[in-house]
Short mmCIF file of all heavy atoms in Angstrom, two decimals:
data_model
loop_
_atom_site.label_atom_id
_atom_site.label_comp_id
_atom_site.label_asym_id
_atom_site.label_seq_id
_atom_site.Cartn_x
_atom_site.Cartn_y
_atom_site.Cartn_z
N MET A 147 2.50 14.91 -35.04
CA MET A 147 1.80 15.49 -36.19
C MET A 147 2.64 16.58 -36.85
O MET A 147 2.70 16.69 -38.07
CB MET A 147 0.44 16.06 -35.77
CG MET A 147 -0.56 15.00 -35.36
SD MET A 147 -0.88 13.74 -36.59
CE MET A 147 -2.28 14.46 -37.42
N GLN A 148 3.32 17.38 -36.03
CA GLN A 148 4.18 18.44 -36.55
C GLN A 148 5.34 17.85 -37.35
O GLN A 148 5.66 18.33 -38.44
CB GLN A 148 4.70 19.28 -35.39
CG GLN A 148 5.27 20.62 -35.83
CD GLN A 148 5.67 21.48 -34.63
OE1 GLN A 148 5.89 20.98 -33.54
NE2 GLN A 148 5.78 22.77 -34.86
N LEU A 149 5.96 16.79 -36.79
CA LEU A 149 7.05 16.12 -37.50
C LEU A 149 6.55 15.55 -38.83
O LEU A 149 7.23 15.67 -39.86
CB LEU A 149 7.61 14.98 -36.65
CG LEU A 149 8.68 15.36 -35.62
CD1 LEU A 149 8.96 14.19 -34.71
CD2 LEU A 149 9.95 15.81 -36.31
N LEU A 150 5.36 14.97 -38.80
CA LEU A 150 4.77 14.43 -40.01
C LEU A 150 4.54 15.55 -41.03
O LEU A 150 4.80 15.37 -42.24
CB LEU A 150 3.44 13.74 -39.67
CG LEU A 150 2.80 12.90 -40.76
CD1 LEU A 150 3.63 11.66 -41.04
CD2 LEU A 150 1.38 12.51 -40.36
N GLY A 151 4.08 16.69 -40.54
CA GLY A 151 3.86 17.84 -41.42
C GLY A 151 5.15 18.30 -42.08
O GLY A 151 5.17 18.57 -43.29
N TRP A 152 6.22 18.37 -41.28
CA TRP A 152 7.51 18.77 -41.85
C TRP A 152 7.98 17.79 -42.90
O TRP A 152 8.49 18.18 -43.95
CB TRP A 152 8.56 18.88 -40.75
CG TRP A 152 8.38 20.08 -39.86
CD1 TRP A 152 7.73 21.23 -40.18
CD2 TRP A 152 8.87 20.24 -38.52
NE1 TRP A 152 7.76 22.09 -39.11
CE2 TRP A 152 8.46 21.52 -38.08
CE3 TRP A 152 9.59 19.43 -37.66
CZ2 TRP A 152 8.75 22.00 -36.82
CZ3 TRP A 152 9.89 19.91 -36.40
CH2 TRP A 152 9.48 21.18 -35.98
N ARG A 153 7.80 16.48 -42.58
CA ARG A 153 8.21 15.46 -43.54
C ARG A 153 7.42 15.57 -44.84
O ARG A 153 7.97 15.42 -45.92
CB ARG A 153 8.03 14.06 -42.93
CG ARG A 153 9.22 13.65 -42.08
CD ARG A 153 8.97 12.33 -41.35
NE ARG A 153 8.64 11.25 -42.27
CZ ARG A 153 8.07 10.11 -41.90
NH1 ARG A 153 7.77 9.91 -40.63
NH2 ARG A 153 7.80 9.16 -42.77
N MET A 154 6.13 15.85 -44.72
CA MET A 154 5.29 16.00 -45.90
C MET A 154 5.73 17.22 -46.72
O MET A 154 5.74 17.18 -47.95
CB MET A 154 3.82 16.16 -45.50
CG MET A 154 3.22 14.90 -44.93
SD MET A 154 3.32 13.46 -45.99
CE MET A 154 1.71 13.50 -46.74
N GLN A 155 6.10 18.30 -46.03
CA GLN A 155 6.57 19.50 -46.71
C GLN A 155 7.86 19.22 -47.48
O GLN A 155 8.00 19.62 -48.64
CB GLN A 155 6.80 20.60 -45.69
CG GLN A 155 6.88 21.99 -46.30
CD GLN A 155 6.97 23.06 -45.23
OE1 GLN A 155 7.31 22.79 -44.09
NE2 GLN A 155 6.68 24.29 -45.60
N LEU A 156 8.79 18.50 -46.82
CA LEU A 156 10.03 18.12 -47.49
C LEU A 156 9.76 17.26 -48.71
O LEU A 156 10.36 17.45 -49.77
CB LEU A 156 10.95 17.35 -46.52
CG LEU A 156 11.82 18.18 -45.59
CD1 LEU A 156 12.47 17.29 -44.54
CD2 LEU A 156 12.88 18.93 -46.36
N LEU A 157 8.83 16.32 -48.56
CA LEU A 157 8.44 15.47 -49.67
C LEU A 157 7.86 16.30 -50.81
O LEU A 157 8.17 16.07 -51.99
CB LEU A 157 7.41 14.45 -49.19
CG LEU A 157 7.08 13.29 -50.13
CD1 LEU A 157 8.28 12.36 -50.26
CD2 LEU A 157 5.88 12.52 -49.62
N GLY A 158 7.06 17.30 -50.44
CA GLY A 158 6.47 18.19 -51.45
C GLY A 158 7.54 18.94 -52.22
O GLY A 158 7.48 19.05 -53.44
N TRP A 159 8.53 19.46 -51.48
CA TRP A 159 9.62 20.18 -52.15
C TRP A 159 10.38 19.28 -53.09
O TRP A 159 10.75 19.66 -54.20
CB TRP A 159 10.57 20.78 -51.11
CG TRP A 159 9.99 21.96 -50.38
CD1 TRP A 159 8.99 22.77 -50.81
CD2 TRP A 159 10.39 22.44 -49.09
NE1 TRP A 159 8.72 23.73 -49.88
CE2 TRP A 159 9.58 23.57 -48.81
CE3 TRP A 159 11.34 22.04 -48.17
CZ2 TRP A 159 9.69 24.29 -47.64
CZ3 TRP A 159 11.45 22.78 -46.99
CH2 TRP A 159 10.64 23.87 -46.72
N ARG A 160 10.65 18.03 -52.60
CA ARG A 160 11.38 17.07 -53.44
C ARG A 160 10.60 16.75 -54.70
O ARG A 160 11.18 16.66 -55.79
CB ARG A 160 11.66 15.80 -52.65
CG ARG A 160 12.92 15.90 -51.81
CD ARG A 160 13.10 14.70 -50.90
NE ARG A 160 13.13 13.44 -51.63
CZ ARG A 160 12.96 12.26 -51.08
NH1 ARG A 160 12.74 12.16 -49.79
NH2 ARG A 160 13.00 11.16 -51.81
N MET A 161 9.27 16.62 -54.57
CA MET A 161 8.43 16.33 -55.72
C MET A 161 8.46 17.50 -56.71
O MET A 161 8.50 17.30 -57.92
CB MET A 161 6.99 16.06 -55.29
CG MET A 161 6.83 14.75 -54.54
SD MET A 161 7.37 13.29 -55.43
CE MET A 161 5.84 12.80 -56.20
N GLN A 162 8.47 18.73 -56.17
CA GLN A 162 8.50 19.92 -57.02
C GLN A 162 9.82 19.97 -57.80
O GLN A 162 9.82 20.25 -59.01
CB GLN A 162 8.36 21.15 -56.15
CG GLN A 162 7.95 22.40 -56.92
CD GLN A 162 7.68 23.58 -56.00
OE1 GLN A 162 8.08 23.58 -54.84
NE2 GLN A 162 7.01 24.58 -56.51
N LEU A 163 10.93 19.69 -57.10
CA LEU A 163 12.23 19.66 -57.76
C LEU A 163 12.26 18.60 -58.86
O LEU A 163 12.77 18.85 -59.96
CB LEU A 163 13.35 19.36 -56.75
CG LEU A 163 13.87 20.54 -55.94
CD1 LEU A 163 14.78 20.04 -54.81
CD2 LEU A 163 14.64 21.51 -56.83
N LEU A 164 11.68 17.44 -58.55
CA LEU A 164 11.60 16.36 -59.53
C LEU A 164 10.78 16.81 -60.74
O LEU A 164 11.16 16.53 -61.89
CB LEU A 164 10.97 15.13 -58.88
CG LEU A 164 11.07 13.81 -59.64
CD1 LEU A 164 12.51 13.33 -59.71
CD2 LEU A 164 10.19 12.76 -58.99
N GLY A 165 9.68 17.51 -60.47
CA GLY A 165 8.84 18.02 -61.56
C GLY A 165 9.60 18.98 -62.46
O GLY A 165 9.52 18.90 -63.69
N TRP A 166 10.37 19.90 -61.83
CA TRP A 166 11.16 20.84 -62.62
C TRP A 166 12.19 20.13 -63.47
O TRP A 166 12.41 20.46 -64.63
CB TRP A 166 11.86 21.84 -61.70
CG TRP A 166 10.92 22.85 -61.10
CD1 TRP A 166 9.70 23.23 -61.59
CD2 TRP A 166 11.12 23.61 -59.91
NE1 TRP A 166 9.13 24.16 -60.78
CE2 TRP A 166 9.98 24.43 -59.73
CE3 TRP A 166 12.15 23.68 -58.98
CZ2 TRP A 166 9.85 25.30 -58.66
CZ3 TRP A 166 12.01 24.55 -57.90
CH2 TRP A 166 10.88 25.35 -57.75
N ARG A 167 12.84 19.10 -62.86
CA ARG A 167 13.85 18.34 -63.60
C ARG A 167 13.22 17.61 -64.79
O ARG A 167 13.80 17.59 -65.88
CB ARG A 167 14.53 17.33 -62.67
CG ARG A 167 15.69 17.93 -61.90
CD ARG A 167 16.25 16.98 -60.86
NE ARG A 167 16.69 15.72 -61.44
CZ ARG A 167 16.93 14.62 -60.72
NH1 ARG A 167 16.74 14.63 -59.42
NH2 ARG A 167 17.33 13.52 -61.32
N MET A 168 12.02 17.08 -64.57
CA MET A 168 11.32 16.38 -65.66
C MET A 168 10.97 17.37 -66.78
O MET A 168 11.08 17.05 -67.96
CB MET A 168 10.05 15.72 -65.13
CG MET A 168 10.31 14.54 -64.21
SD MET A 168 11.27 13.21 -64.95
CE MET A 168 9.96 12.21 -65.60
N GLN A 169 10.56 18.58 -66.38
CA GLN A 169 10.22 19.61 -67.36
C GLN A 169 11.44 19.99 -68.20
O GLN A 169 11.36 20.10 -69.42
CB GLN A 169 9.66 20.83 -66.63
CG GLN A 169 8.84 21.75 -67.52
CD GLN A 169 8.21 22.87 -66.71
OE1 GLN A 169 8.58 23.13 -65.58
NE2 GLN A 169 7.25 23.55 -67.31
N LEU A 170 12.59 20.18 -67.51
CA LEU A 170 13.82 20.50 -68.21
C LEU A 170 14.20 19.39 -69.18
O LEU A 170 14.63 19.64 -70.32
CB LEU A 170 14.97 20.72 -67.21
CG LEU A 170 15.05 22.09 -66.55
CD1 LEU A 170 16.06 22.06 -65.40
CD2 LEU A 170 15.44 23.16 -67.55
N LEU A 171 14.04 18.14 -68.71
CA LEU A 171 14.34 16.99 -69.55
C LEU A 171 13.43 16.99 -70.79
O LEU A 171 13.88 16.72 -71.91
CB LEU A 171 14.13 15.71 -68.74
CG LEU A 171 14.70 14.42 -69.32
CD1 LEU A 171 16.22 14.45 -69.36
CD2 LEU A 171 14.21 13.23 -68.53
#
Side-chain angles (χ1 to χ4, degrees):
M147 292 303 268
Q148 196 175 21
L149 275 170
L150 191 68
W152 287 336
R153 275 174 57 197
M154 291 304 263
Q155 197 174 19
L156 276 170
L157 192 68
W159 288 337
R160 275 173 57 196
M161 290 303 268
Q162 198 174 17
L163 278 170
L164 193 68
W166 287 337
R167 275 173 58 196
M168 291 301 269
Q169 200 174 15
L170 279 169
L171 194 66

